[in-house]
């Protein structure tokens, strides 16, 4: 283990962040990696707990507690503390196919349940993970490792987000021939076109795709399964099919004025921005925040990414509406450790908005009643009430000016088309694919599902876990034996 009483005697430090006023001028990652010495010092805070809550990965009170992929956190903390970086990387790679994504963008449920956090501050697990994987790439330890033999079995993975990539990686490692079909022109799913480059730079995604290709995974981009190739054709040509198609069917806001120009779903906006940066594609004026008063409806992480993107595009102002109230500064009695702490934080976009405009952009309990527009059919503003009126009987009306409104109120699940194409069933919520919790098989034999398409919109780390588990079940289905550990 680390240093005796290290968790009390050493102050928790995180990766540094670039200054907000500097980073808003570019689209590069806003965090800086921790130095090796810094990571070793932070790893010294780990107590190597008998029951390491950091790695349990369960859902408690609807939040994630501990690492869903059960990263061997105390083990690699100890190896980092002792300066054994290569061994630390090897331990990390055992459970996590893509630490370069999680160490940048995971909300770190491991830290939320770390035992050190019960009495002091949790261990800086995510920063240590980042230091390990950065070092591994720098030292050339992450190299293609194609399988030594091929099984002759062919698997089609539909969708190249983290679930599809993890599933493909796992199946390829044990010799199955994997083809990943992706309807976009570039693999990566939301890692490529949803999450902004300030959180995950796109060459980091490309680097992993290249590694997978060198290991023998085939990527077929620009192929919309169900249209360009039918489900029947796939079933005929492959021994198993895994649906990792995500859950980005967005939730709408069907109120007066919704059809005005200048109101867009968040994903259209974020995808257009990422494409503009990757290909220099011109930005449609209604998806460009430059010089505009921007309102983001929806208080979640997607909304936050819209705020940060609007700032970089040079918006005149930005406000973000949330349905709920401000979170408390500390855990409440109803949200004890080791649950994920639902506490107030000033994340990157909010810090930037505050520095630029002198105010946190978040407004709470806001209910949007209607949009207003001009004679050309373009949005000019909106009227809001308050969700709080339900609690205290007060209905407060307010008018807001806006030139661009982004709707980020969540996702409604997997695309309907999928169910007909593959003749599979929906789960009882009617939003995602019904697939057995253990076997990941859908209602059709040989058709499996994983990631957001099965679980509903969630996190990269859950998508990786789902991809790994589905791969293990596919392998059992193909070979009749367990060659892959489920996590
Ligand atoms: C804006 C935004 C920011 C986020 N930020 C974070 C974050 O910071 N940290 C975090 O942990 N999580 C974050 N998430 C959540 C995370 O990105 C998702 O949970 C994760 O990407 C889900 O992975 P997936 O592989 O299941 O699906 P996706 O990443 O959605 O990939 C699905 C892929 O399937 C393809 N596809 C769909 N249908 C077909 C078809 N018929 N034929 C061929 N291809 C098809 C799609 O084009 C897509 O590429 C964010 C999500 C969004 C929207
Ligand atoms: S819970 Fe925290 S202190 Fe305990 S083993 Fe995990 S990282 Fe270390």
């Amino acid at each position: 283990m680390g240093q005796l009483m290290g968790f009390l005697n050493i102050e928790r430090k995180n990766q540094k962040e670039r200054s907000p006023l500097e980073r808003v001028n570019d689209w590069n990652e806003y965090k800086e990696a921790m130095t090796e010495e810094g990571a070793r010092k932070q790893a010294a805070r780990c107590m190597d707990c008998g029951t390491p809550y950091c790695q349990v990965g369960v859902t408690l009170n609807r939040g994630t507690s501990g690492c869903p992929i059960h990263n061997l956190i105390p083990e690699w903390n100890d190896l980092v503390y002792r300066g054994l970086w290569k061994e630390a990387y090897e331990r990390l790679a055992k459970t996590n196919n893509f630490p370069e994504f999680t160490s940048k963008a995971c909300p770190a449920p491991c830290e939320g349940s770390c035992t050190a956090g019960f009495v002091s501050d949790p261990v800086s697990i995510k920063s240590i993970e980042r230091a390990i994987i950065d070092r591994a790439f720098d030292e050339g330890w992450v190299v293609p490792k194609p399988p030594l033999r091929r099984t002759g079995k062919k698997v089609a993975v539909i969708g190249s987000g983290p679930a599809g990539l993890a599933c493909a990686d796992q199946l390829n490692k044990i010799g199955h021939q994997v083809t990943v079909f992706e309807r976009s022109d570039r693999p990566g799913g939301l890692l490529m076109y949803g999450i902004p480059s300030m959180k995950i730079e796109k060459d980091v995604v490309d680097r992993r795709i290249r590694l997978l290709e060198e290991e023998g995974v085939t990527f077929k981009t620009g192929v919309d399964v169900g249209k360009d190739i039918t489900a029947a054709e796939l079933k005929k040509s492959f021994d198993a099919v895994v649906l990792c198609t995500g859950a980005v069917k967005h939730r709408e806001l069907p109120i007066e004025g919704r059809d005005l120009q200048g109101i867009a779903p968040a994903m259209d906006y974020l995808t257009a921005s990422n494409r503009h940066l990757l290909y220099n594609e011109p930005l449609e004026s209604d998806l460009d925040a430059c010089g505009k008063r921007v309102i983001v409806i929806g208080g979640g992480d997607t909304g936050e990414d819209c705020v940060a993107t609007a700032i970089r595009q040079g918006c005149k102002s930005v406000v973000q509406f949330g349905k709920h109230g401000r979170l408390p500064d500390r855990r409440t009695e109803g949200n004890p450790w080791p649950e994920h702490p639902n506490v107030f934080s000033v994340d990157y976009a909010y810090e930037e908005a505050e520095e630029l405009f002198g105010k946190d952009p978040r407004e709470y309990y806001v209910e949007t009643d209607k949009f207003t527009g001009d004679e050309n059919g373009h949005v000019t503003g909106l009227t809001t009430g308050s969700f709080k009126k339900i609690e205290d009987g007060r209905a407060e009306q307010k008018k807001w000016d806006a030139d661009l409104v982004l709707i980020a109120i969540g996702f409604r699940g997997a695309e309907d088309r999928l169910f007909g194409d593959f003749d599979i069933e929906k789960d009882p919520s009617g939003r995602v694919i019904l697939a057995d919790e253990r076997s990941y098989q859908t209602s059709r034999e040989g058709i499996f599902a994983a990631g957001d398409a099965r679980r509903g919109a969630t996190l990269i780390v859950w998508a990786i876990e789902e991809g790994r588990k589905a791969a293990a079940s596919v392998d059992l289905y193909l070979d009749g034996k367990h060659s892959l550990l489920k996590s």
Side-chain angles (χ1 to χ4, degrees), residues 89-90 92-99 142-151 153 155 165-178 208 211-212 215-217 464 468 471 475 479 483-485:
Y89 163 64
E90 283 160 2
L92 175 57
K94 270 190 186 301
T95 55
N96 191 347
N97 303 64
F98 313 123
V142 191
V143 288
K145 290 188 192 122
L148 296 176
R149 63 167 194 109
R150 287 285 171 192
T151 61
K153 298 279 166 53
V155 183
L165 295 181
C167 185
D169 189 20
Q170 292 291 95
L171 288 168
N172 179 62
K173 266 185 196 152
I174 49 169
H176 301 310
Q177 193 65 59
V178 184
R208 180 56 70 172
L211 275 165
L212 290 169
E215 287 173 334
V217 176
I464 295 174
R468 291 173 67 88
D475 179 47
D479 263 1
S483 312
L484 285 168
L485 281 179

Short mmCIF file of all heavy atoms in Angstrom, two decimals, residues 89-90 92-99 142-151 153 155 165-178 208 211-212 215-217 464 468 471 475 479 483-485:
data_model
loop_
_atom_site.label_atom_id
_atom_site.label_comp_id
_atom_site.label_asym_id
_atom_site.label_seq_id
_atom_site.Cartn_x
_atom_site.Cartn_y
_atom_site.Cartn_z
N TYR A 89 0.65 0.00 -15.76
CA TYR A 89 -0.09 0.02 -17.04
C TYR A 89 -0.68 -1.37 -17.32
O TYR A 89 -1.85 -1.49 -17.73
CB TYR A 89 0.81 0.49 -18.19
CG TYR A 89 0.24 0.13 -19.52
CD1 TYR A 89 -0.98 0.67 -19.94
CD2 TYR A 89 0.86 -0.81 -20.34
CE1 TYR A 89 -1.56 0.30 -21.14
CE2 TYR A 89 0.29 -1.18 -21.54
CZ TYR A 89 -0.92 -0.63 -21.94
OH TYR A 89 -1.50 -1.02 -23.11
N GLU A 90 0.11 -2.40 -17.07
CA GLU A 90 -0.38 -3.76 -17.35
C GLU A 90 -1.61 -4.10 -16.49
O GLU A 90 -2.55 -4.73 -16.96
CB GLU A 90 0.74 -4.78 -17.16
CG GLU A 90 1.68 -4.76 -18.35
CD GLU A 90 3.07 -5.37 -18.06
OE1 GLU A 90 3.29 -5.85 -16.92
OE2 GLU A 90 3.90 -5.33 -18.97
N LEU A 92 -3.73 -1.87 -15.31
CA LEU A 92 -4.83 -1.01 -15.79
C LEU A 92 -5.44 -1.60 -17.07
O LEU A 92 -6.66 -1.65 -17.23
CB LEU A 92 -4.27 0.40 -16.05
CG LEU A 92 -5.19 1.45 -16.68
CD1 LEU A 92 -6.43 1.65 -15.84
CD2 LEU A 92 -4.44 2.79 -16.80
N ALA A 93 -4.57 -2.08 -17.96
CA ALA A 93 -5.05 -2.60 -19.26
C ALA A 93 -5.82 -3.91 -19.10
O ALA A 93 -6.55 -4.32 -20.00
CB ALA A 93 -3.86 -2.80 -20.20
N LYS A 94 -5.68 -4.58 -17.95
CA LYS A 94 -6.41 -5.83 -17.75
C LYS A 94 -7.92 -5.62 -17.73
O LYS A 94 -8.69 -6.48 -18.15
CB LYS A 94 -6.01 -6.46 -16.40
CG LYS A 94 -4.84 -7.39 -16.51
CD LYS A 94 -4.67 -8.14 -15.20
CE LYS A 94 -3.41 -8.98 -15.25
NZ LYS A 94 -3.39 -9.97 -16.32
N THR A 95 -8.35 -4.47 -17.19
CA THR A 95 -9.80 -4.27 -17.03
C THR A 95 -10.33 -3.16 -17.92
O THR A 95 -11.55 -3.06 -18.11
CB THR A 95 -10.13 -3.90 -15.57
OG1 THR A 95 -9.34 -2.76 -15.22
CG2 THR A 95 -9.86 -5.04 -14.62
N ASN A 96 -9.47 -2.30 -18.40
CA ASN A 96 -9.95 -1.13 -19.14
C ASN A 96 -9.34 -1.12 -20.54
O ASN A 96 -8.12 -0.95 -20.69
CB ASN A 96 -9.55 0.15 -18.37
CG ASN A 96 -10.23 1.38 -18.94
OD1 ASN A 96 -10.80 1.34 -20.03
ND2 ASN A 96 -10.16 2.48 -18.22
N ASN A 97 -10.18 -1.28 -21.55
CA ASN A 97 -9.67 -1.29 -22.93
C ASN A 97 -9.18 0.10 -23.35
O ASN A 97 -8.29 0.21 -24.18
CB ASN A 97 -10.77 -1.72 -23.91
CG ASN A 97 -11.32 -3.07 -23.56
OD1 ASN A 97 -11.92 -3.25 -22.51
ND2 ASN A 97 -11.10 -4.06 -24.42
N PHE A 98 -9.78 1.15 -22.77
CA PHE A 98 -9.48 2.50 -23.27
C PHE A 98 -9.26 3.51 -22.13
O PHE A 98 -10.04 4.46 -21.98
CB PHE A 98 -10.62 2.99 -24.17
CG PHE A 98 -11.06 1.97 -25.19
CD1 PHE A 98 -12.39 1.55 -25.24
CD2 PHE A 98 -10.16 1.42 -26.08
CE1 PHE A 98 -12.79 0.60 -26.17
CE2 PHE A 98 -10.56 0.45 -27.00
CZ PHE A 98 -11.88 0.04 -27.05
N PRO A 99 -8.18 3.34 -21.35
CA PRO A 99 -7.97 4.29 -20.25
C PRO A 99 -7.75 5.71 -20.75
O PRO A 99 -7.96 6.67 -20.00
CB PRO A 99 -6.69 3.78 -19.58
CG PRO A 99 -6.44 2.43 -20.13
CD PRO A 99 -7.13 2.31 -21.44
N VAL A 142 2.11 0.77 -25.48
CA VAL A 142 0.81 0.41 -26.07
C VAL A 142 1.04 0.12 -27.56
O VAL A 142 1.16 1.02 -28.37
CB VAL A 142 -0.22 1.56 -25.92
CG1 VAL A 142 -1.62 1.08 -26.28
CG2 VAL A 142 -0.19 2.15 -24.52
N VAL A 143 1.18 -1.15 -27.86
CA VAL A 143 1.48 -1.55 -29.25
C VAL A 143 0.40 -2.54 -29.73
O VAL A 143 -0.24 -3.20 -28.91
CB VAL A 143 2.87 -2.22 -29.36
CG1 VAL A 143 3.98 -1.20 -29.19
CG2 VAL A 143 3.01 -3.35 -28.36
N PRO A 144 0.20 -2.62 -31.06
CA PRO A 144 -0.79 -3.59 -31.53
C PRO A 144 -0.39 -5.01 -31.15
O PRO A 144 0.79 -5.38 -31.26
CB PRO A 144 -0.76 -3.42 -33.05
CG PRO A 144 0.14 -2.28 -33.35
CD PRO A 144 0.86 -1.89 -32.13
N LYS A 145 -1.36 -5.77 -30.66
CA LYS A 145 -1.09 -7.18 -30.31
C LYS A 145 -2.12 -8.04 -31.02
O LYS A 145 -3.13 -8.44 -30.42
CB LYS A 145 -1.22 -7.37 -28.79
CG LYS A 145 -0.11 -6.70 -28.01
CD LYS A 145 -0.20 -7.09 -26.53
CE LYS A 145 0.70 -6.22 -25.69
NZ LYS A 145 0.03 -5.49 -24.65
N PRO A 146 -1.90 -8.34 -32.30
CA PRO A 146 -2.87 -9.18 -33.01
C PRO A 146 -2.92 -10.57 -32.39
O PRO A 146 -1.93 -11.04 -31.82
CB PRO A 146 -2.31 -9.25 -34.44
CG PRO A 146 -1.19 -8.29 -34.50
CD PRO A 146 -0.73 -8.01 -33.11
N PRO A 147 -4.08 -11.24 -32.48
CA PRO A 147 -4.18 -12.58 -31.89
C PRO A 147 -3.26 -13.56 -32.62
O PRO A 147 -2.99 -13.39 -33.81
CB PRO A 147 -5.65 -12.95 -32.10
CG PRO A 147 -6.12 -12.07 -33.21
CD PRO A 147 -5.31 -10.82 -33.16
N LEU A 148 -2.81 -14.58 -31.90
CA LEU A 148 -1.88 -15.54 -32.51
C LEU A 148 -2.59 -16.51 -33.43
O LEU A 148 -2.01 -17.06 -34.36
CB LEU A 148 -1.15 -16.32 -31.41
CG LEU A 148 -0.25 -15.46 -30.52
CD1 LEU A 148 0.35 -16.30 -29.41
CD2 LEU A 148 0.85 -14.79 -31.35
N ARG A 149 -3.88 -16.73 -33.18
CA ARG A 149 -4.64 -17.64 -34.06
C ARG A 149 -6.03 -17.07 -34.29
O ARG A 149 -6.52 -16.26 -33.50
CB ARG A 149 -4.74 -19.05 -33.47
CG ARG A 149 -5.49 -19.07 -32.17
CD ARG A 149 -5.91 -20.42 -31.66
NE ARG A 149 -6.89 -20.19 -30.60
CZ ARG A 149 -8.17 -20.44 -30.67
NH1 ARG A 149 -8.67 -21.01 -31.75
NH2 ARG A 149 -9.01 -20.16 -29.69
N ARG A 150 -6.61 -17.48 -35.41
CA ARG A 150 -7.97 -17.04 -35.71
C ARG A 150 -8.93 -18.23 -35.54
O ARG A 150 -8.57 -19.37 -35.89
CB ARG A 150 -8.06 -16.51 -37.15
CG ARG A 150 -7.40 -15.15 -37.36
CD ARG A 150 -8.27 -14.06 -36.78
NE ARG A 150 -7.60 -12.76 -36.75
CZ ARG A 150 -8.08 -11.73 -36.07
NH1 ARG A 150 -9.20 -11.83 -35.37
NH2 ARG A 150 -7.44 -10.59 -36.07
N THR A 151 -10.12 -17.94 -35.03
CA THR A 151 -11.07 -19.03 -34.77
C THR A 151 -11.90 -19.40 -35.99
O THR A 151 -12.57 -20.43 -36.00
CB THR A 151 -12.06 -18.62 -33.66
OG1 THR A 151 -12.79 -17.46 -34.13
CG2 THR A 151 -11.36 -18.29 -32.37
N LYS A 153 -14.49 -17.71 -36.75
CA LYS A 153 -15.85 -17.19 -36.47
C LYS A 153 -15.89 -15.69 -36.78
O LYS A 153 -14.94 -14.96 -36.51
CB LYS A 153 -16.22 -17.42 -34.99
CG LYS A 153 -16.27 -18.88 -34.60
CD LYS A 153 -17.60 -19.48 -35.01
CE LYS A 153 -17.66 -20.99 -34.97
NZ LYS A 153 -17.29 -21.64 -33.76
N VAL A 155 -17.89 -11.97 -36.47
CA VAL A 155 -18.86 -11.21 -35.68
C VAL A 155 -19.01 -9.81 -36.28
O VAL A 155 -18.02 -9.16 -36.60
CB VAL A 155 -18.41 -11.08 -34.20
CG1 VAL A 155 -19.46 -10.34 -33.38
CG2 VAL A 155 -18.13 -12.45 -33.59
N LEU A 165 -16.50 -0.51 -29.65
CA LEU A 165 -15.04 -0.65 -29.71
C LEU A 165 -14.54 -1.66 -28.67
O LEU A 165 -13.68 -2.49 -28.96
CB LEU A 165 -14.36 0.70 -29.49
CG LEU A 165 -14.59 1.78 -30.56
CD1 LEU A 165 -13.83 3.05 -30.20
CD2 LEU A 165 -14.17 1.30 -31.95
N ALA A 166 -15.10 -1.59 -27.45
CA ALA A 166 -14.66 -2.53 -26.40
C ALA A 166 -15.04 -3.95 -26.78
O ALA A 166 -14.25 -4.89 -26.61
CB ALA A 166 -15.29 -2.14 -25.06
N CYS A 167 -16.24 -4.11 -27.33
CA CYS A 167 -16.71 -5.44 -27.71
C CYS A 167 -15.80 -6.00 -28.83
O CYS A 167 -15.35 -7.15 -28.77
CB CYS A 167 -18.16 -5.32 -28.18
SG CYS A 167 -18.92 -6.88 -28.56
N ALA A 168 -15.52 -5.14 -29.82
CA ALA A 168 -14.67 -5.57 -30.94
C ALA A 168 -13.27 -5.95 -30.45
O ALA A 168 -12.71 -6.98 -30.84
CB ALA A 168 -14.59 -4.44 -31.97
N ASP A 169 -12.73 -5.14 -29.57
CA ASP A 169 -11.38 -5.37 -29.05
C ASP A 169 -11.31 -6.72 -28.33
O ASP A 169 -10.41 -7.55 -28.58
CB ASP A 169 -11.03 -4.23 -28.08
CG ASP A 169 -9.58 -4.25 -27.65
OD1 ASP A 169 -8.77 -4.88 -28.35
OD2 ASP A 169 -9.24 -3.62 -26.62
N GLN A 170 -12.29 -6.97 -27.47
CA GLN A 170 -12.29 -8.21 -26.69
C GLN A 170 -12.42 -9.44 -27.60
O GLN A 170 -11.71 -10.43 -27.43
CB GLN A 170 -13.45 -8.21 -25.69
CG GLN A 170 -13.31 -7.19 -24.57
CD GLN A 170 -12.18 -7.54 -23.62
OE1 GLN A 170 -11.06 -7.03 -23.79
NE2 GLN A 170 -12.43 -8.39 -22.66
N LEU A 171 -13.33 -9.36 -28.56
CA LEU A 171 -13.56 -10.53 -29.43
C LEU A 171 -12.37 -10.76 -30.36
O LEU A 171 -11.98 -11.90 -30.63
CB LEU A 171 -14.84 -10.32 -30.25
CG LEU A 171 -16.14 -10.43 -29.45
CD1 LEU A 171 -17.32 -9.93 -30.27
CD2 LEU A 171 -16.38 -11.88 -29.01
N ASN A 172 -11.78 -9.67 -30.83
CA ASN A 172 -10.63 -9.80 -31.72
C ASN A 172 -9.43 -10.41 -31.01
O ASN A 172 -8.72 -11.25 -31.56
CB ASN A 172 -10.27 -8.41 -32.28
CG ASN A 172 -9.07 -8.47 -33.20
OD1 ASN A 172 -9.11 -9.12 -34.24
ND2 ASN A 172 -7.98 -7.82 -32.81
N LYS A 173 -9.25 -10.01 -29.74
CA LYS A 173 -8.12 -10.52 -28.95
C LYS A 173 -8.09 -12.04 -28.89
O LYS A 173 -7.03 -12.64 -28.81
CB LYS A 173 -8.28 -10.01 -27.50
CG LYS A 173 -7.54 -8.75 -27.21
CD LYS A 173 -7.68 -8.45 -25.73
CE LYS A 173 -7.30 -7.01 -25.49
NZ LYS A 173 -7.94 -6.41 -24.36
N ILE A 174 -9.30 -12.66 -28.87
CA ILE A 174 -9.30 -14.12 -28.75
C ILE A 174 -9.52 -14.79 -30.11
O ILE A 174 -9.85 -15.97 -30.19
CB ILE A 174 -10.36 -14.60 -27.73
CG1 ILE A 174 -11.70 -13.94 -28.01
CG2 ILE A 174 -9.90 -14.34 -26.32
CD1 ILE A 174 -12.81 -14.57 -27.21
N GLY A 175 -9.33 -14.00 -31.17
CA GLY A 175 -9.23 -14.62 -32.49
C GLY A 175 -10.46 -14.59 -33.36
O GLY A 175 -10.42 -15.06 -34.50
N HIS A 176 -11.58 -14.06 -32.87
CA HIS A 176 -12.75 -13.94 -33.76
C HIS A 176 -12.51 -12.79 -34.74
O HIS A 176 -11.85 -11.81 -34.41
CB HIS A 176 -14.03 -13.70 -32.95
CG HIS A 176 -14.32 -14.79 -31.96
ND1 HIS A 176 -14.32 -16.13 -32.31
CD2 HIS A 176 -14.59 -14.76 -30.62
CE1 HIS A 176 -14.59 -16.87 -31.24
NE2 HIS A 176 -14.75 -16.06 -30.20
N GLN A 177 -13.05 -12.94 -35.93
CA GLN A 177 -12.86 -11.90 -36.96
C GLN A 177 -14.00 -10.89 -36.83
O GLN A 177 -15.16 -11.23 -37.06
CB GLN A 177 -12.87 -12.55 -38.34
CG GLN A 177 -12.39 -11.65 -39.45
CD GLN A 177 -10.92 -11.28 -39.30
OE1 GLN A 177 -10.07 -12.16 -39.28
NE2 GLN A 177 -10.64 -9.99 -39.15
N VAL A 178 -13.65 -9.66 -36.46
CA VAL A 178 -14.69 -8.67 -36.16
C VAL A 178 -14.74 -7.59 -37.24
O VAL A 178 -13.72 -7.03 -37.63
CB VAL A 178 -14.43 -8.00 -34.79
CG1 VAL A 178 -15.56 -7.03 -34.45
CG2 VAL A 178 -14.27 -9.03 -33.69
N ARG A 208 -6.55 5.18 -31.19
CA ARG A 208 -7.05 3.88 -30.74
C ARG A 208 -7.64 3.09 -31.91
O ARG A 208 -7.48 1.88 -32.01
CB ARG A 208 -8.07 4.08 -29.62
CG ARG A 208 -8.66 2.82 -29.07
CD ARG A 208 -7.62 1.81 -28.54
NE ARG A 208 -6.96 2.22 -27.33
CZ ARG A 208 -6.14 1.44 -26.61
NH1 ARG A 208 -5.89 0.19 -27.00
NH2 ARG A 208 -5.54 1.89 -25.53
N LEU A 211 -4.88 1.48 -33.77
CA LEU A 211 -4.37 0.30 -33.06
C LEU A 211 -5.27 -0.91 -33.29
O LEU A 211 -4.79 -2.02 -33.58
CB LEU A 211 -4.32 0.58 -31.56
CG LEU A 211 -3.07 1.28 -31.02
CD1 LEU A 211 -3.32 1.83 -29.62
CD2 LEU A 211 -1.89 0.32 -30.99
N LEU A 212 -6.59 -0.68 -33.19
CA LEU A 212 -7.54 -1.79 -33.39
C LEU A 212 -7.43 -2.33 -34.81
O LEU A 212 -7.48 -3.55 -35.04
CB LEU A 212 -8.96 -1.33 -33.08
CG LEU A 212 -9.27 -1.04 -31.60
CD1 LEU A 212 -10.61 -0.34 -31.45
CD2 LEU A 212 -9.26 -2.33 -30.79
N GLU A 215 -4.53 -4.46 -35.22
CA GLU A 215 -4.72 -5.76 -34.53
C GLU A 215 -5.66 -6.67 -35.31
O GLU A 215 -5.87 -7.82 -34.93
CB GLU A 215 -5.26 -5.51 -33.12
CG GLU A 215 -4.19 -4.96 -32.20
CD GLU A 215 -4.69 -4.54 -30.83
OE1 GLU A 215 -5.89 -4.21 -30.72
OE2 GLU A 215 -3.89 -4.51 -29.89
N GLY A 216 -6.29 -6.12 -36.36
CA GLY A 216 -7.10 -6.99 -37.22
C GLY A 216 -8.59 -6.70 -37.24
O GLY A 216 -9.35 -7.42 -37.89
N VAL A 217 -9.05 -5.65 -36.51
CA VAL A 217 -10.47 -5.30 -36.57
C VAL A 217 -10.72 -4.52 -37.87
O VAL A 217 -9.95 -3.64 -38.23
CB VAL A 217 -10.88 -4.43 -35.35
CG1 VAL A 217 -12.33 -3.99 -35.46
CG2 VAL A 217 -10.64 -5.19 -34.05
N ILE A 464 -18.09 0.73 -21.96
CA ILE A 464 -16.96 -0.20 -22.05
C ILE A 464 -17.32 -1.52 -21.34
O ILE A 464 -17.11 -2.62 -21.86
CB ILE A 464 -15.67 0.42 -21.45
CG1 ILE A 464 -15.23 1.63 -22.28
CG2 ILE A 464 -14.55 -0.62 -21.37
CD1 ILE A 464 -14.05 2.40 -21.69
N ARG A 468 -17.60 -5.23 -23.04
CA ARG A 468 -16.80 -6.36 -22.56
C ARG A 468 -17.68 -7.55 -22.20
O ARG A 468 -17.38 -8.70 -22.55
CB ARG A 468 -15.98 -5.95 -21.32
CG ARG A 468 -14.88 -4.96 -21.60
CD ARG A 468 -14.24 -4.48 -20.30
NE ARG A 468 -13.51 -5.53 -19.61
CZ ARG A 468 -12.22 -5.82 -19.81
NH1 ARG A 468 -11.54 -5.14 -20.72
NH2 ARG A 468 -11.62 -6.78 -19.13
N ALA A 471 -19.18 -9.17 -25.23
CA ALA A 471 -18.15 -9.95 -25.94
C ALA A 471 -17.97 -11.32 -25.28
O ALA A 471 -17.87 -12.35 -25.96
CB ALA A 471 -16.83 -9.19 -25.96
N ASP A 475 -18.71 -14.85 -27.15
CA ASP A 475 -17.68 -15.89 -27.24
C ASP A 475 -18.21 -17.22 -26.72
O ASP A 475 -17.99 -18.27 -27.35
CB ASP A 475 -16.45 -15.44 -26.44
CG ASP A 475 -15.36 -16.48 -26.47
OD1 ASP A 475 -15.08 -16.98 -27.58
OD2 ASP A 475 -14.83 -16.83 -25.40
N ASP A 479 -18.22 -20.35 -29.04
CA ASP A 479 -17.23 -21.40 -28.75
C ASP A 479 -17.68 -22.40 -27.70
O ASP A 479 -17.02 -23.41 -27.49
CB ASP A 479 -15.94 -20.73 -28.25
CG ASP A 479 -14.93 -20.57 -29.37
OD1 ASP A 479 -15.27 -20.97 -30.50
OD2 ASP A 479 -13.82 -20.07 -29.10
N SER A 483 -13.72 -17.93 -22.70
CA SER A 483 -12.32 -17.53 -22.90
C SER A 483 -12.09 -16.14 -22.35
O SER A 483 -10.97 -15.72 -22.11
CB SER A 483 -11.98 -17.49 -24.39
OG SER A 483 -12.41 -18.66 -25.01
N LEU A 484 -13.18 -15.37 -22.18
CA LEU A 484 -13.03 -14.00 -21.72
C LEU A 484 -13.67 -13.86 -20.35
O LEU A 484 -14.77 -14.35 -20.13
CB LEU A 484 -13.77 -13.04 -22.67
CG LEU A 484 -13.14 -12.75 -24.01
CD1 LEU A 484 -14.15 -12.04 -24.90
CD2 LEU A 484 -11.89 -11.90 -23.85
N LEU A 485 -12.97 -13.16 -19.46
CA LEU A 485 -13.61 -12.83 -18.19
C LEU A 485 -14.64 -11.77 -18.48
O LEU A 485 -14.44 -10.91 -19.34
CB LEU A 485 -12.57 -12.27 -17.23
CG LEU A 485 -11.70 -13.29 -16.54
CD1 LEU A 485 -10.71 -12.58 -15.64
CD2 LEU A 485 -12.55 -14.26 -15.74
#
